[in-house]
Amino acid sequence: MSNTILSFKTAYLSAVAKSWVDPKFSDSFYKEGETNILTFLEDHSGTPKQFINPWKNLVINFLKDDGHDLHWDPIKTGRWVGDDDRLMIYFPEDPGVDHRVEALAKYNFIFPTFMGKIKSNFEMLFDEASQQVIIDLLNEKHIPIPSLLTMGVADFDLLDFSAVVLRAISLYWEDDDFKANIINGKGNFLDKTPILSKWFGYNNPWNFSLNFKDNKRFDLKSGCDCDSQYPANVISLGKPKKPHNLNTKQSDKAMLPIALAAYNDDGNSYPFTCC
């Protein structure tokens, strides 16, 4: 497991625990988390910050309140029960047959995994304005600037999936039948794992529903290499609401550590919520 995922999971688990004992924090966590859990964790990680979002083109949020909440079921299943998490990946526009091979390589550079590139320590320590001041000062003094590019460390499952995504994009640009089957329309969250299995023999190792959308503004022919111009892929998680003890002889508080430990240990198929 990469340090970036572990960093997120540590901060996230702390927030989940606090949400179960602090109603005001819980309201903010689950409401703001529907937009972006990463920014919420940054804003509520103390001073100095204990968590800094390491990803350039990734959003992690909660699924909307429409029956997706997770609940702890220690009697029937002995685990947390709920709908699968969701991964939404945006496909770039077809750059035209003459530019496809270079565009695909550029996509792989932007998204070496579906999480995108990792921020360097320099980028995490300083905001964009401060970064530019420092870079200008180094240039003025003719001091060589080391590369700020950080790809990060990826597990084999991530790399395998990235290879399949590249194949899917190249076929999406070429084959209308595949394109019609792989893209999720507005409001359609049907899992596209069977499509990847049919065309590429891919078996999804995660409890993620895989979704793909086209993005008309995702233009790989653009001369700009600014990370902010590219759409962020989105991971949506079920909300682990506070569990309640079905044993009337015990308080809910007696159940919370057991439920939190189980949430943290539901297996590798939940890479962003469990160890």
Side-chain angles (χ1 to χ4, degrees):
M1 178 183 298
S2 68
N3 290 336
T4 53
I5 296 179
L6 189 59
S7 172
F8 165 75
K9 289 170 62 168
T10 302
Y12 175 71
L13 196 69
S14 296
V16 170
K18 186 173 182 179
S19 75
W20 291 352
V21 298
D22 185 335
K24 185 176 179 181
F25 180 87
S26 178
D27 290 343
S28 299
F29 180 46
Y30 291 116
K31 183 177 181 181
E32 294 179 37
E34 287 188 356
T35 301
N36 197 339
I37 298 171
L38 296 172
T39 53
F40 179 88
L41 293 179
E42 273 196 331
D43 293 342
H44 294 80
S45 64
T47 304
K49 289 184 177 181
Q50 301 300 306
F51 173 77
I52 299 176
N53 175 19
W55 294 292
K56 296 183 179 183
N57 293 96
L58 182 69
V59 168
I60 302 179
N61 62 18
F62 285 122
L63 294 166
K64 302 293 183 181
D65 278 324
D66 51 2
H68 294 291
D69 289 356
L70 294 173
H71 66 276
W72 166 239
D73 188 344
I75 296 178
K76 294 180 180 178
T77 65
R79 65 189 299 274
W80 285 82
V81 178
D83 290 346
D84 287 345
D85 298 333
R86 182 189 304 147
L87 170 60
M88 179 73 72
I89 291 180
Y90 288 95
F91 278 179
E93 280 291 278
D94 183 359
V97 65
D98 291 339
H99 304 281
R100 286 176 183 170
V101 66
E102 289 183 299
L104 193 65
K106 184 174 181 179
Y107 177 90
N108 188 56
F109 182 78
I110 302 164
F111 288 100
T113 73
F114 67 79
M115 295 177 288
K117 288 185 289 188
I118 307 299
K119 296 175 184 175
S120 66
N121 290 335
F122 176 73
E123 291 169 305
M124 288 195 282
L125 286 172
F126 302 103
D127 60 27
E128 290 187 10
S130 300
Q131 291 174 34
Q132 193 57 53
V133 169
I134 295 171
I135 290 172
D136 289 343
L137 181 61
L138 292 175
N139 284 329
E140 181 181 324
K141 301 295 184 180
H142 303 291
I143 299 174
I145 301 173
S147 172
L148 301 180
L149 175 63
T150 303
M151 291 298 186
V153 179
D155 296 333
F156 284 115
D157 285 343
L158 292 175
L159 296 176
D160 286 346
F161 181 61
S162 297
V164 171
V165 169
L166 285 186
R167 296 180 68 187
I169 291 173
S170 64
L171 195 58
Y172 161 81
W173 287 340
E174 177 63 27
D175 190 284
D176 289 338
D177 183 41
F178 178 77
K179 183 175 184 177
N181 281 277
I182 195 66
I183 294 298
N184 292 85
K186 185 176 181 180
N188 175 6
F189 300 107
L190 185 67
D191 183 20
K192 296 299 183 176
T193 297
I195 304 300
L196 298 182
S197 177
K198 174 183 176 180
W199 289 80
F200 308 117
Y202 177 74
N203 294 314
N204 182 5
W206 309 300
N207 277 54
F208 279 162
S209 172
L210 299 178
N211 286 189
F212 300 92
K213 282 189 175 292
D214 51 9
N215 189 310
K216 304 297 183 185
R217 293 177 293 180
F218 194 173
D219 181 10
L220 292 174
K221 289 195 299 182
S222 169
C224 178
D225 283 325
C226 310
D227 293 302
S228 58
Q229 82 172 31
Y230 303 118
N233 291 330
V234 182
I235 297 170
S236 299
L237 309 174
K239 295 177 182 176
K241 292 297 186 70
K242 178 181 177 179
H244 296 286
N245 200 339
L246 301 179
N247 185 345
T248 56
K249 295 181 180 180
Q250 291 181 311
S251 68
D252 283 347
K253 289 183 179 179
M255 170 73 75
L256 299 186
I258 298 171
L260 187 70
Y263 184 66
N264 187 56
D265 191 31
D266 244 3
N268 291 331
S269 58
Y270 297 88
F272 283 85
T273 56
C274 308
C275 292

